[in-house]
Amino acid sequence: MALSRLLIPNREFRVHMGCLQVRRWLSFLPAAFVVYLLLHYLVYQPDLSTPPQSPMIDEGLPRTNDTPVGVAGGSRSLQSGPRVLPPLTPQEVSAATAPSEEPPPAEASPGGRRPDAANGTSALPGVTTNQLVAASVSGGAVPASSSTKVASSPSSSSSSVVPASRTSNAAPVAPSQPQPQPQGPVRPVVIQGTGSEVQPKQAVTKKTLVLKKTSVVSSSVSSPSLAINFLKGRQKLGERYESGFSVPHEELCPDNGRELKVLVLITSAPDHQKHRTAVRQTWGHFGVRRDVVLAFMVGRTLNADIQASLDQENDLYGDIVQANFMDHYSNLTLKTISMFEWVKTYCSESHFILKTDDDMFINMPLLLSFVESKSSEQRVLYGRMAKGWKPVRNKKSKYYIDASTYSRTRYPDFLTGPAYLFTGDVVEDIYRKTLDTTFFPLEDVLVTGIVGESLRLRRVGDSRFRNEKIKLTDTCGLLKTISIHMVKYEEQFDIYKRTLDGKAKCKVG
């Protein structure tokens, strides 16, 4: 009795512990199931890198009687499993070889299967009607040579695949010679597939996609980072500019500038007669050469006395081109664009054009040597490069630009305006692009910087374009400089004498 008392609690305890053990094992079942699914996926994951093997078209297999062939509406549909196409009857052969009234499809689908516009079915790709007829009549199979390739195509909307000879919209095919009637047993064509469409076996080839690196440069499409997108004015420059010339002097550029080494266009004001005289009597003397042309660019003036003096000066020298815009300091951009218009109209074949001002000294021998060394260059501008310049926000400065006109904190790299040289092949592009750009008063920033950047033009800085006032007593420095800025009337003669009298003994290099 005492022993039974001892065994009963132990038995209950063991049962209790067994239940706990079972519950513990059952708690692991969900995790084990997840692990099983993961391992099953990893082990049996299909290889998607290569396409699945398609069934083949077997030739010369014996005809099986236990394979039913369904016929619906005169078209035989393929069921699942191996299917056998029975031999064509003489009526079907004659119907296939007879001309059809329907025109052939205009083009084949990407998979090589010709679509049937009438019923949505598709003919065997790459197998012609003559081949099907010949295979049925001669007892052979459809040839699988290189000339009659069978290609797979995307799944069609119809589940049946019919020979081209049994569709009412097949293209007319005439046999090269009459086909004889079969004399012996006919060997059918056995097609293995899923029953939805024919899937012939394909040779698996690896194709490597090669992406060609191309650079598309388009001046009509502006990147958001270009400075031209930071111009905030509403008026296009072309809306403010009045094209044309009251005094064009087209005779200045014979043969449209074909034989010129350099065309020098000097922006001047109508009342700057003294500046023009100093240029003519010094470095402007090079204009007597046949390969050099110099001209002054001015605008209109409302002062009758100034206009009368300008006309008299023009009659005497014949080198002042007067445009139709109103000449004012705020219209320097319009003056520069009139220069581009004149070159485009009357001197478009000049290879190099120098834009400069009437208070500049230009070392013409050095300039001519420079353009000769750059004679093969195209679509490029040379001058003094201004890098990283910031807009002047001081309202008292004549260079003041507020944020509502140009919102960017820096200008693009540009060539300073007192003198810059450019090739003639950029004239047309700069002229048209600038007219279609928002008006901006600083012409050098707009033309060589903002527009030049938008057109992807090459802008090259050269230290010989000083474009600043320098010491006039440094004769050797003058001989190595193409352009000097802020030169007064009397200084023009002094610099001209120093650079051309041949007395200076300067080190070369």
Side-chain angles (χ1 to χ4, degrees):
M1 190 69 177
L3 181 61
S4 63
R5 289 178 180 177
L6 291 174
L7 292 175
I8 289 174
N10 291 339
R11 187 184 306 113
E12 292 177 353
F13 177 75
R14 287 196 297 270
V15 171
H16 177 69
M17 293 302 296
C19 292
L20 291 179
Q21 189 70 16
V22 171
R23 291 177 61 185
R24 184 180 296 109
W25 280 105
L26 290 177
S27 65
F28 286 112
L29 284 180
F33 182 70
V34 171
V35 172
Y36 167 77
L37 291 179
L38 181 60
L39 292 175
H40 183 275
Y41 175 78
L42 293 176
V43 173
Y44 295 100
Q45 181 181 9
D47 185 7
L48 301 179
S49 61
T50 58
Q53 296 293 334
S54 302
M56 298 179 58
I57 296 181
D58 298 329
E59 301 181 6
L61 296 181
R63 181 173 181 178
T64 58
N65 297 326
D66 57 347
T67 304
V69 177
V71 180
S75 298
R76 301 176 186 268
S77 60
L78 299 178
Q79 308 298 328
S80 61
R83 293 292 180 259
V84 182
L85 293 181
L88 302 177
T89 63
Q91 292 80 3
E92 291 173 334
V93 173
S94 61
T97 57
S100 175
E101 296 180 359
E102 295 288 340
E107 58 184 2
S109 62
R113 187 186 302 276
R114 293 181 180 272
D116 190 335
N119 50 26
T121 59
S122 300
L124 292 178
V127 181
T128 63
T129 306
N130 285 343
Q131 293 166 344
L132 285 176
V133 174
S136 177
V137 172
S138 61
V142 176
S145 62
S146 60
S147 60
T148 57
K149 294 180 181 178
V150 181
S152 62
S153 65
S155 58
S156 175
S157 59
S158 173
S159 61
S160 62
V161 180
V162 297
S165 61
R166 299 195 179 191
T167 57
S168 58
N169 296 316
V173 178
S176 58
Q177 54 184 338
Q179 300 293 335
Q181 296 296 328
Q183 301 297 329
V186 178
R187 300 174 65 189
V189 179
V190 179
I191 303 177
Q192 293 182 349
T194 61
S196 59
E197 62 178 10
V198 178
Q199 298 179 352
K201 184 176 181 180
Q202 292 179 329
V204 179
T205 58
K206 294 183 178 180
K207 294 183 178 180
T208 303
L209 181 61
V210 179
L211 297 178
K212 294 183 178 180
K213 184 178 180 181
T214 58
S215 59
V216 179
V217 178
S218 176
S219 60
S220 60
V221 180
S222 296
S223 171
S225 62
L226 295 182
I228 197 171
N229 298 299
F230 293 86
L231 293 174
K232 300 302 180 181
R234 296 183 178 179
Q235 188 180 35
K236 300 289 186 182
L237 189 143
E239 299 173 2
R240 181 180 295 197
Y241 177 67
E242 183 179 353
S243 63
F245 305 90
S246 58
V247 184
H249 281 307
E250 62 270 17
E251 75 281 353
L252 286 174
C253 213
D255 296 328
N256 220 12
R258 188 177 299 111
E259 303 299 329
L260 294 184
K261 282 188 176 179
V262 63
L263 167 66
V264 181
L265 295 178
I266 309 163
T267 57
S268 182
D271 58 345
H272 282 196
Q273 181 178 2
K274 190 175 182 179
H275 293 73
R276 293 188 289 271
T277 300
V279 170
R280 292 189 189 102
Q281 295 178 358
T282 55
W283 59 269
H285 251 358
F286 280 81
V288 300
R289 293 177 47 151
R290 292 184 179 274
D291 57 355
V292 177
V293 168
L294 288 93
F296 297 93
M297 304 293 301
V298 301
R300 290 189 296 111
T301 177
L302 298 179
N303 189 313
D305 294 336
I306 294 177
Q307 184 63 49
S309 176
L310 185 65
D311 292 339
Q312 184 179 3
E313 180 186 357
N314 211 356
D315 290 339
L316 184 61
Y317 296 103
D319 57 0
I320 303 175
V321 176
Q322 190 168 21
N324 291 330
F325 68 92
M326 185 60 63
D327 201 303
H328 191 270
Y329 180 78
S330 61
N331 285 340
L332 284 179
T333 303
L334 303 183
K335 184 177 291 187
T336 303
I337 291 305
S338 71
M339 179 190 72
F340 278 89
E341 182 186 1
W342 191 86
V343 176
K344 180 182 74 72
T345 306
Y346 302 110
C347 208
S348 59
E349 295 190 39
S350 176
H351 187 49
F352 277 105
I353 300 97
L354 177 72
K355 181 269 176 190
T356 188
D357 297 338
D358 59 8
D359 61 345
M360 297 288 294
F361 178 84
I362 303 298
N363 187 341
M364 289 300 294
L366 186 56
L367 176 65
L368 291 172
S369 176
F370 181 85
V371 298
E372 287 178 359
S373 66
K374 307 292 184 181
S375 59
S376 61
E377 296 291 333
Q378 295 180 339
R379 297 186 66 80
V380 60
L381 297 87
Y382 298 97
R384 183 196 176 194
M385 182 68 74
K387 286 182 172 291
W389 285 23
K390 298 181 180 180
V392 177
R393 304 301 190 190
N394 183 4
K395 294 183 178 181
K396 296 181 180 180
S397 174
K398 67 177 181 178
Y399 304 112
Y400 167 70
I401 298 294
D402 61 348
S404 62
T405 301
Y406 182 77
S407 60
R408 201 176 188 182
T409 57
R410 292 183 184 274
Y411 292 130
D413 295 346
F414 67 95
L415 304 176
T416 56
Y420 54 84
L421 182 76
F422 53 92
T423 53
D425 51 4
V426 305
V427 171
E428 179 81 17
D429 291 341
I430 291 180
Y431 174 73
R432 296 190 180 280
K433 185 66 176 180
T434 307
L435 288 180
D436 193 44
T437 303
T438 303
F439 177 82
F440 193 72
L442 304 181
E443 60 88 14
D444 49 359
V445 177
L446 178 65
V447 173
T448 68
I450 297 175
V451 173
E453 178 192 56
S454 177
L455 293 174
R456 308 292 197 273
L457 299 180
R458 190 158 54 99
R459 291 150 289 163
V460 179
D462 193 294
S463 61
R464 287 170 288 186
F465 290 87
R466 296 289 294 270
N467 290 358
E468 60 186 353
K469 189 174 181 64
I470 65 174
K471 276 187 176 183
L472 302 183
T473 56
D474 184 9
T475 304
C476 292
L478 295 176
L479 290 172
K480 298 176 182 179
T481 303
I482 293 179
S483 58
I484 306 170
H485 192 205
M486 300 177 68
V487 180
K488 298 178 181 179
Y489 174 84
E490 60 276 5
E491 292 174 339
Q492 291 280 12
F493 300 94
D494 183 37
I495 299 173
Y496 186 67
K497 178 180 181 299
R498 285 175 177 271
T499 55
L500 293 180
D501 61 8
K503 296 180 179 180
K505 305 296 181 182
C506 302
K507 295 181 180 180
V508 179

